[in-house]
Amino acid sequence: MASIPPRIFSDARRHAVRARALHLQHSTQDPARFIVDDMAEDMAERLAFVRHQPEKALLLGDFARGLASQLDETNTDLIHADIVGNHAIDMQRPYPAGGYQFIGVLGLLDTVNDLPGALIHLRQALSPGGLVIAMFPGAGSLPRLRQAMYAAEPDRPAARMHPLVDTRAAAELLQRAGWKDPVVDSHDLSVRYGSLDRLVGDLREQGLGNCLASVAPPLGREARDRARRAFMDHADDDGRVTETFSILTLSGRRSLAGT
């Protein structure tokens, strides 16, 4: 009997967080996009380095269309999808179509309950020899925010931050999923903030809000004030705090035999 993956994330909350982010991207003046922009630029450089020019590709999570615009220039037959809206894909189930020579995933994988299954579905959606590159925030991300959340509730902290995948665990997952030539690496993206509220706003605008299955009660006013003070305790002389996003990259292929 197959084991059932633990239910860490709520699919309903995950979709709501994503839908809110996509709405904010269109309704907010100058919305935060630096994470997806960083991932798209990095992914484009990796594709150019391996000289992979797919005829048929699937992009997931590229809401800023940065990577899509570059692939469009190569006459790639491109399908642009997400987990909500038109062309929505459930990443925890077999994809409705396959035969892609390239699949790029920007974010999204960090909040699926069955990550091993999602990686298998990605591989199976590729054509033989096809390439997949997936990026999402991994272990080491948001250390200042995590410290602030602990300071907000020092006696009995509620679960408010997502568990994160590290490079070692990711490598093991790719092997279990049968990816050929698996590679895992990470890089840090540092962002400067003058307030905790601005950081929270950036997370919401980029679909990185809380979608845990266990819903914690809202923070009270005193707890929010403690969190803000704890965050600003790390400010430099210019009154700004450096927060870190550690972007994890998973890449690999489907074997030429199509297994």
Side-chain angles (χ1 to χ4, degrees):
M1 181 177 178
S3 61
I4 300 176
R7 186 170 177 269
I8 300 172
F9 304 102
S10 162
D11 288 339
R13 294 188 72 191
R14 179 170 174 256
H15 291 166
V17 165
R18 190 65 179 176
R20 178 181 64 182
L22 296 178
H23 171 73
L24 290 173
Q25 286 295 319
H26 291 94
S27 63
T28 304
Q29 184 177 2
D30 193 23
R33 294 179 178 174
F34 56 84
I35 293 179
V36 70
D37 286 345
D38 177 84
M39 291 190 292
E41 181 179 354
D42 190 5
M43 196 173 291
E45 291 178 356
R46 291 170 188 262
L47 281 172
F49 180 77
V50 299
R51 298 181 180 179
H52 189 77
Q53 295 183 337
E55 295 180 2
K56 181 181 180 182
L58 171 66
L59 290 187
L60 287 158
D62 183 24
F63 61 76
R65 304 292 174 119
L67 184 58
S69 62
Q70 298 188 51
L71 285 176
D72 282 339
E73 296 177 358
T74 64
N75 296 318
T76 298
D77 180 9
L78 179 63
I79 296 177
H80 195 282
D82 209 293
I83 62 171
V84 295
N86 296 330
H87 307 296
I89 287 181
D90 185 346
M91 304 187 71
Q92 299 179 110
R93 296 180 181 275
Y95 288 23
Y100 299 106
Q101 294 171 328
F102 172 69
I103 301 177
V105 186
L106 284 71
L108 305 181
L109 280 176
D110 54 323
T111 56
V112 297
N113 287 309
D114 186 9
L115 182 53
L119 296 174
I120 291 173
H121 297 322
L122 274 170
R123 174 178 59 80
Q124 292 176 334
L126 291 169
S127 63
L131 172 69
V132 58
I133 303 177
M135 298 181 175
F136 53 88
S141 296
L142 300 170
R144 300 308 186 200
L145 177 59
R146 291 177 183 276
Q147 292 168 358
M149 290 298 98
Y150 282 123
E153 302 171 298
D155 298 326
R156 185 177 294 180
R160 301 180 186 277
M161 301 286 291
H162 294 172
L164 299 172
V165 180
D166 61 22
T167 54
R168 180 176 179 179
E172 293 174 351
L173 289 171
L174 293 188
Q175 291 180 343
R176 287 174 54 190
W179 286 27
K180 182 176 175 58
D181 302 327
V183 176
V184 178
D185 61 79
S186 66
H187 71 276
D188 288 346
L189 179 63
S190 297
V191 186
R192 305 272 288 162
Y193 286 101
S195 72
L196 177 60
D197 296 280
R198 182 61 264 174
L199 168 59
V200 172
D202 280 4
L203 295 178
R204 288 174 176 166
E205 289 171 11
Q206 297 179 96
L208 298 175
N210 183 348
C211 57
L212 293 171
S214 59
V215 181
L219 285 175
R221 179 179 297 178
E222 292 184 358
R224 293 197 301 271
D225 288 342
R226 285 194 295 268
R228 292 185 179 109
R229 289 195 298 268
F231 184 76
M232 294 309 299
D233 282 345
H234 298 284
D236 294 331
D237 293 339
D238 62 356
R240 303 185 76 81
V241 177
T242 300
E243 185 58 288
T244 301
F245 297 84
S246 185
I247 308 301
L248 193 64
T249 301
L250 288 61
S251 63
R253 296 181 180 272
R254 186 172 189 177
S255 71
L256 292 173
T259 57

